[in-house]
Amino acid sequence: MQLMTEKSAAGGGLRERKKRATRAALAEAAVRLAAEHGAEKVTVEAISAAAGVSVRTFFNYFDTRDDAFVVIDADASARMRRAVLEAPAGHSPLEVVRDAMAAEIAEAEQQHELWRLHAEVLHASPHLLARRVGAHMAAEAELAAAIAERLGGTGGLYPRLLAAVAATAVRTTMDHWSAHQEEAAFLDVFHEVFSLLAAGLPAPPA
């Protein structure tokens, strides 16, 4: 019985990995097609064909065509939540959030070209960019909930504020790095931003 249980668990894990891989393939196909042709000209049929699945399978993962363009990695929020909740007890909430975000950034950098194309697609389609902002807000709320849980369900305004500040820190990092790519690596800028936050945002020397 124990052997059957272990096999069942392994099979379930494999199925979940396959589902994640299929969703990722659809999202990547959508982004690449949109970058080449423009999101408005890309059909569900074209996305499905590029990913090697049926249209029916597409709608198992996305409610609408536009959903495929908005989020590349649907598991990022869940990974962040786990990272926040499982971090060592001695770490401050800011350190925990920083490390969780740094891990996600390192993951994204493995697909730098795809994320660059994704940004181009969103900025070329204002309605998709607006939907992405909504997705960011939802992810921020999930991060705040994880911070609150780590703090024992308390903290008042603190969890939501920390999540909002951390999200702003990432956007600030991205904006600065985009304009100064030759000066420092993205993660170095990210860690500098969080060092300033940890220090209480002291004013720079005159």
Side-chain angles (χ1 to χ4, degrees):
M1 179 63 72
Q2 181 64 30
L3 181 60
M4 291 177 63
T5 301
E6 290 175 355
K7 287 183 176 180
S8 297
L14 178 60
R15 283 193 294 273
E16 287 303 313
R17 288 195 296 273
K18 286 183 176 179
K19 287 171 66 175
R20 288 195 294 270
T22 299
R23 192 193 187 287
L26 284 164
E28 179 172 352
V31 168
R32 292 190 181 281
L33 287 170
E36 183 176 355
H37 304 290
E40 292 73 17
K41 296 180 180 178
V42 177
T43 65
V44 170
E45 288 78 9
I47 296 170
S48 303
V53 301
S54 67
V55 169
R56 180 178 180 180
T57 296
F58 176 94
F59 285 111
N60 286 337
Y61 293 90
F62 302 101
D63 292 331
T64 69
R65 183 205 64 159
D66 285 357
D67 289 339
F69 301 123
V70 175
V71 177
I72 292 179
D73 189 347
D75 297 321
S77 289
R79 288 196 302 268
M80 286 272 292
R81 178 181 179 80
R82 286 196 301 272
V84 167
L85 295 177
E86 295 173 3
H91 291 196
S92 72
L94 182 63
E95 290 173 324
V96 168
V97 170
R98 178 201 64 198
D99 292 346
M101 286 185 160
E104 290 304 311
I105 290 170
E107 181 78 16
E109 285 190 332
Q110 300 299 314
Q111 295 182 298
H112 177 75
E113 181 210 6
L114 180 60
W115 282 93
R116 178 182 60 79
L117 292 176
H118 184 238
E120 292 176 2
V121 168
L122 294 180
H123 284 287
S125 302
H127 75 286
L128 293 179
L129 186 58
R131 294 185 67 165
R132 179 58 177 163
V133 170
H136 273 304
M137 292 179 66
E140 186 179 304
E142 290 180 18
L143 176 59
I147 296 168
E149 184 175 344
R150 181 178 175 85
L151 294 173
T154 61
L157 289 173
Y158 183 87
R160 198 58 190 264
L161 178 60
L162 176 54
V165 168
T168 300
V170 172
R171 288 194 294 272
T172 301
T173 299
M174 188 171 297
D175 290 343
H176 181 85
W177 178 80
S178 295
H180 305 86
Q181 295 185 33
E182 70 285 351
E183 298 178 9
F186 186 92
L187 270 174
D188 290 339
V189 177
F190 171 86
H191 283 292
E192 181 179 355
V193 168
F194 271 82
S195 293
L196 290 171
L197 289 176
L201 286 180

